[in-house]
């Protein structure tokens, strides 16, 4: 869990997740195994209710599996306590949510800064946050509150918030589901650029074909099981460089 | 740290009305503590001042068998001073004086009233009993022929004015009946309901002619540098006077009146406590509602790496801030009011007259001007109580907020 911050190897071994009990029991994930490597731009696809969010929550240390093991850089996350998990989330993992989940009382800049505060990063947090907002094309919107901004702008703030702390892994749960085609593509391009420029590992869930087009790997879920897992040879927007190239 | 204080503040402003309502309950609670304490402590001080300034000084000696209350003023056994006692009084007190209390009938034409007469030494009385608050019409009599000074209530009852004359009937020291026709030198309002309407002042030379005590007296009162030394001085005086006399202090004499204040105090404390419980409920409710409204935000912050303890801190801070702002506003208002009324006082005359309090307060010397007590320590305590109540009452809702699963951010 230490060392270089861009190493994001994640092993999901035989993981099951059950919700509820008795007749109300739901098997959201059923013995899922998956290996994610540094620099990948992986998409988890599948119909609604297939277990995408559940899987991402487990990998993102937001929830714990009912059975099986999740190794983040060879550390079993079930061995970590609440505070240690919070630390992993704060420093190593960035989240982008379907409904943006920005803090409405904070400006765009403060929202991004929040991630730095919680990660306890050093240096000028305000400056770093401003640079990141500039990188996602929101240079002139920094002082505005999210509620005054469009969905595309809000999701770009969320992307900036996820990336500003240089996480090893960014988890994005249906990030384009609440955006129209053009803005969705814009947000995806921002993320694809970050993936290629910085080597940040991305893990998406979606059933949006535009997202799948850009993926380097597509994992299909159905009823909580992995149905298909394939690498994509030449994803859209991958330019001429390979998915793991770094500048 | 500052960042999260700011986040708490912004979240509070978000529900401005609800926040204000919770703060108002804190303001009222803190205000009641300060005003209640200020009033009671003011009353207490006023009772003590009335006792000292009009009745006992710091220490009073009186005949051993003298009754403790009422209009009964026996004249059989009176006190005298020996040289040793006089010497002690001159070296150990700031001032001392003798008084002769008796209970004559004052007769004017067909009307007559039984009153308490205070025979006082014209030269030394003010060394113990100040007359700063006295409002005199006419003159204060000093000699045998000057006559008597009536408190205003008695003058009114008998329809007397200065210059009129009355007959004063009394028993003498030897037990005979005596009556003299004397002029009314003036009328006085002392501002003390235990005196006004109940007492006539008689200069000692005239008291001598009426009661014939042969230089003896019923009360010896003295003032010390510090009123806290009264017990000690009373003990010394007691040993000098022997068992024909008993000594008492302002503290003993004021005790029954102060006890009544303790009851009032408890009553006001209960009211303040009830208000603070309401404030606590208001704050707890406000924070709890915030916790439920912001489930997704809490989840988001947890996903960004905020610990459970951090979430608790965020919500407890909201309670703390409401408590702090409310307490400061309440304390500022309370401080201003107690300070103002500690200087200018509240005139209770009409209140005292309305409830006929002078009957109630016969043995409760108490100025009709109520001066509140301005106390920095009460203000500080009230702020601490207000902040503590608000902070503690936000603990449970904060715990509810912090026990949410971080995965809540991704759903609903
Ligand atoms: N907190 C929960 N309690 C009970 N059932 C849940 C909960 N979360 C998800 N589920 C169920 O688990 C299954 C997988 O859900 P989810 O992971 O959200 O799928 P997806 O994100 O692919 O739509 C669904 O059947 C859903 O109803
Ligand atoms: Mg989902």
């Amino acid at each position: 869990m230490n060392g270089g911050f861009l190493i994001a190897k994640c092993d999901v071994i035989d993981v099951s997740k059950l919700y509820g009990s008795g007749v109300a029991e739901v098997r959201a994930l059923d013995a899922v195994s998956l290996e994610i490597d540094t620099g990948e731009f992986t998409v988890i696809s599948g119909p609604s209710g297939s277990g995408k969010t559940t899987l991402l929550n487990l990998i993102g240390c937001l929830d714990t599996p009912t059975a099986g093991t999740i190794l983040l850089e060879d550390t079993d996350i079930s061995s970590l306590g609440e505070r240690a998990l919070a630390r992993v989330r704060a420093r190593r993992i960035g989240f982008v949510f379907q409904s943006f989940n920005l803090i409405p009382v904070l400006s765009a800049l403060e929202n991004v800064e929040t991630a730095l505060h919680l990660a306890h990063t050093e240096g000028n947090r305000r400056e770093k946050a401003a640079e990141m907002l500039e990188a996602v094309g929101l240079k002139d919107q920094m002082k505005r509150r999210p509620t005054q901004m469009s969905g595309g702008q809000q999701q770009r703030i969320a992307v900036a918030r996820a990336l500003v702390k240089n996480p090893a892994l960014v988890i994005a749960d249906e990030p384009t589901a609440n955006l129209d085609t053009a803005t969705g593509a814009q947000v995806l391009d921002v993320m694809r650029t970050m993936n290629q420029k910085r080597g940040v590992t991305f893990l998406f869930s979606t059933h949006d074909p535009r997202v799948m087009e850009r993926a380097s790997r597509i994992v299909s879920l159905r009823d909580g099981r992995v149905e298909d897992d394939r690498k994509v040879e030449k994803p859209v927007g991958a330019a001429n460089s390979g998915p793991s190239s770094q500048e | 740290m500052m960042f999260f204080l700011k986040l708490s503040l912004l979240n509070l402003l978000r529900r401005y009305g609800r926040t204000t309502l919770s703060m108002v309950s804190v303001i009222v609670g803190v205000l009641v503590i300060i005003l209640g304490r200020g009033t009671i402590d003011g009353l207490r001080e006023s009772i003590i001042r009335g006792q000292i300034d009009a009745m006992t000084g710091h220490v009073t000696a009186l005949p051993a068998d003298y009754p403790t209350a009422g209009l009964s003023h026996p004249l059989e056994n009176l006190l005298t001073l020996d040289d040793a006692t006089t010497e002690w009084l001159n070296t150990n007190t700031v001032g001392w004086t003798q008084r002769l209390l008796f209970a004559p009938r004052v007769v004017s034409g067909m009307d007559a009233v039984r009153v308490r007469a205070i025979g006082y030494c014209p030269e030394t009385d003010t060394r113990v009993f100040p007359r700063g608050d006295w409002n005199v019409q006419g003159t204060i009599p000093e000699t045998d022929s000057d006559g008597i000074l009536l408190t205003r209530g008695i003058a009114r009852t008998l329809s007397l004015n200065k210059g009129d004359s009355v007959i004063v009937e009394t028993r003498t020291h030897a037990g005979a009946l005596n009556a003299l026709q004397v002029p009314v030198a003036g009328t006085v309002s002392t501002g003390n309901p235990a005196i006004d309407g109940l007492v006539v002042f008689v200069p000692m030379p005239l008291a001598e002619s009426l009661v014939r005590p042969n230089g003896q007296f019923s009360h010896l009162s003295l003032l010390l540098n510090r009123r806290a030394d009264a017990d000690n001085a009373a003990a010394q005086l007691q040993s000098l006077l022997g068992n024909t006399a008993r000594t008492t202090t302002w503290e003993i004499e004021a005790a029954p009146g102060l006890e009544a204040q303790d009851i009032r105090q408890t009553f006001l404390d209960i009211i303040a406590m009830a208000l603070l419980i309401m404030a606590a409920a208001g704050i707890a409710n406000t924070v709890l509602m915030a916790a439920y409204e912001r489930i997704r935000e809490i989840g988001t912050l947890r996903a960004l790496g905020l610990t459970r303890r951090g979430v608790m801190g965020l919500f407890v801070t909201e309670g703390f801030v409401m408590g702090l702002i409310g307490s400061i506003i309440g304390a500022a208002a309370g401080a201003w009011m107690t300070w103002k009324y500690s200087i200018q006082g509240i005139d209770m005359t009409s209140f005292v007259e309305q409830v006929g309090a002078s009957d109630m307060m016969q043995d409760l010397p108490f100025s009709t001007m109520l001066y509140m007590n301005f106390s920095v320590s009460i203000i500080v305590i009230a702020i601490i109580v207000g902040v503590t109540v608000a902070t503690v009452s936000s603990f449970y809702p904060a715990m509810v907020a912090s026990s949410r699963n971080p995965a809540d951010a991704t759903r609903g």
Side-chain angles (χ1 to χ4, degrees), chain A residues 19 53-54 57 62-63 82-83 86 89-90 95 97 99 101 103-106 110 114 117-118 145 161 165, chain B residues 3-4 6-7 10-11 14 296-297 299-309 405-407 409-411:
Chain A
Y19 290 111
T53 300
T54 304
N57 285 351
L62 295 176
D63 216 341
E82 191 259 323
R83 288 166 70 84
R89 291 196 298 267
F95 288 94
F97 303 95
S99 7
N101 288 21
I103 309 295
V105 291
L106 299 179
E110 289 163 337
T114 306
H117 278 287
L118 290 168
R145 295 253 176 118
R161 181 176 68 182
K165 58 195 182 188
Chain B
F3 186 81
F4 291 103
K6 180 177 160 190
L7 186 54
L10 289 170
N11 278 327
R14 193 162 160 180
R296 184 196 291 257
E297 265 172 76
T300 305
L301 287 168
R302 292 289 305 276
L304 293 178
L306 190 65
T307 56
R308 273 182 192 206
R309 212 200 272 203
N405 194 317
T410 54
R411 315 210 186 249

Side-chain angles (χ1 to χ4, degrees), chain B residues 196-361:
Chain B
D196 289 335
L198 300 166
V199 166
V200 303
F201 289 94
V202 182
M204 200 59 101
L206 178 56
E208 195 70 41
S209 309
L210 282 163
V211 180
R212 304 184 200 280
N214 304 318
Q216 299 182 93
F217 52 88
S218 61
H219 288 66
L220 168 69
S221 300
L222 58 89
L223 278 188
L224 302 162
N225 269 320
R226 300 183 321 126
R227 70 189 192 194
D229 296 335
D231 277 345
N232 195 11
Q236 289 182 34
L237 185 61
Q238 181 71 63
S239 68
L240 283 161
L241 292 171
N243 55 13
T244 57
R246 69 178 169 89
T247 53
T248 185
T249 63
W250 64 269
E251 213 171 349
I252 295 169
E253 298 300 307
L258 292 180
E259 233 163 69
Q261 299 319 302
D262 287 344
I263 295 166
R264 290 203 178 100
Q265 173 93 68
T266 311
F267 181 67
L268 277 170
D269 283 350
I270 289 171
I271 291 179
M273 213 144 78
L275 287 166
L276 284 169
I277 289 170
M278 279 167 63
I283 298 248
N285 184 54
T286 298
V287 178
L288 194 62
M289 278 165 84
Y292 282 121
E293 277 172 9
R294 302 212 291 266
I295 286 173
R296 184 196 291 257
E297 265 172 76
I298 297 164
T300 305
L301 287 168
R302 292 289 305 276
L304 293 178
L306 190 65
T307 56
R308 273 182 192 206
R309 212 200 272 203
V311 175
M312 272 212 70
L314 207 54
F315 281 83
V316 169
T317 304
E318 287 186 29
F320 170 80
V321 167
M322 282 188 277
L324 187 67
I325 295 174
S327 296
I328 286 174
I329 294 173
W336 180 75
M337 284 168 82
T338 47
W339 179 77
K340 183 178 164 195
Y341 290 116
S342 73
I343 290 169
Q344 86 188 36
I346 302 165
D347 195 343
M348 309 265 288
T349 314
S350 66
F351 169 77
V352 168
E353 277 169 5
Q354 261 174 29
V355 297
S358 39
D359 291 339
M360 260 165 45
M361 295 183 183

Side-chain angles (χ1 to χ4, degrees), chain A residues 19-20 26-28 46-55 173-174, chain B residues 411:
Chain A
Y19 290 111
V26 177
R27 185 168 288 266
S48 183
S50 58
K52 303 184 293 296
T53 300
T54 304
L55 180 59
D173 191 5
E174 306 201 30
Chain B
R411 315 210 186 249

Side-chain angles (χ1 to χ4, degrees), chain B residues 376-398:
Chain B
V376 174
S377 59
I378 291 294
I379 291 162
V380 172
I381 288 170
I383 292 177
I384 292 172
V385 168
V387 172
T388 309
V389 163
T391 309
V392 169
S393 58
S394 59
F395 261 86
Y396 168 72

